[in-house]
Amino acid sequence: MGQPAASRGRAATPTLGKAMLNKYARAFFTRVLTPFAAFLIRRGVSPDTVTLIGTAGVVAGALVFYPRGEFFWGTVVITLFVFSDLVDGNMARQLGRSSRWGAFLDSTLDRVADGAIFGGFALWYAGRGDDNLLCAVSIFCLASGQVVSYTKARGESIGLPVAVNGLVERAERLVISLVAAGFAGLHKFGVPGIQYLLPIALWIVAAGSLVTLIQRVVTVRRESAEAEAAAARQEEQGSGAAT
């Protein structure tokens, strides 16, 4: 969940590499999903409905399968519903809609989906996974992801650009975690040693999220100081002109 929101009202400031990946990946999926999106529009389905169904599917996949250790099937279900996020954006473009409400709904439900995924990991390690440390790491991934998103939103709400591309942002958190979880689930099919991919991935996401959080806090502090200094200079110039 997350990419279509840009087409429904949100702006993004990706790095060159991310921009190129986004350009070609989006072009491919646009061609593949446009007929399906058009079909849903003809049936009277709204982009918001697709967003809600997609989030519900991700939450169900994470909280039904992951706490039972069914990482492979849980990841399959989540991946299928994650594509709904591309569909709703495609529908919005076809309908010519770019609404603040759509952007808000996407962003809000992204947080719900993220919480369910890392919450599912935490429930597994708190229960049958029997590893309190990894449970704590999963909870940290959940919390830090929410705070990383909040720092950008709060900085922008007070008029700052928050012009920083963090080390591990939402897309990286999900790709690393879901790919590792999917492969780790192959352990139940007899693949030896592969179950350790998920713990490694969670530690990487936790460390990367911490670095990203620090990057954003430092950036907001710098931008805030620069904005206040610029405002002070402008005020001094205005006072000088008045005299």
Side-chain angles (χ1 to χ4, degrees), residues 56-198:
V58 171
V59 170
L63 297 183
V64 171
F65 291 95
Y66 283 176
R68 296 159 48 194
E70 298 287 347
F71 295 119
F72 177 79
W73 293 114
T75 301
V76 168
V77 171
I78 290 170
T79 302
L80 290 174
F81 280 99
V82 160
F83 279 101
S84 69
D85 198 40
L86 300 174
V87 174
D88 65 3
N90 194 306
M91 292 171 68
R93 287 191 295 274
Q94 290 191 47
L95 291 169
R97 297 176 184 172
S98 180
S99 68
R100 292 182 177 86
W101 164 249
F104 170 81
L105 184 65
D106 271 348
S107 181
T108 300
L109 294 184
D110 283 348
R111 309 287 84 75
V112 174
D114 292 359
I117 291 170
F118 289 104
F121 294 146
L123 288 172
W124 162 250
Y125 287 117
R128 293 165 59 188
D130 193 24
D131 193 319
N132 288 336
L133 179 59
L134 286 175
C135 175
V137 173
S138 300
I139 293 172
F140 178 82
C141 290
L142 190 164
S144 61
Q146 306 294 323
V147 176
V148 164
S149 297
Y150 174 79
T151 55
K152 186 171 182 64
R154 186 70 180 104
E156 291 174 343
S157 74
I158 58 176
L160 301 175
V162 196
V164 59
N165 293 300
L167 179 64
V168 177
E169 297 185 346
R170 183 173 188 266
E172 289 81 7
R173 290 196 302 271
L174 291 185
V175 169
I176 293 170
S177 302
L178 292 177
V179 169
F183 278 111
L186 295 176
H187 178 69
K188 289 201 169 186
F189 295 90
V191 180
I194 203 165
Q195 71 273 21
Y196 298 112
L197 282 178
L198 181 55

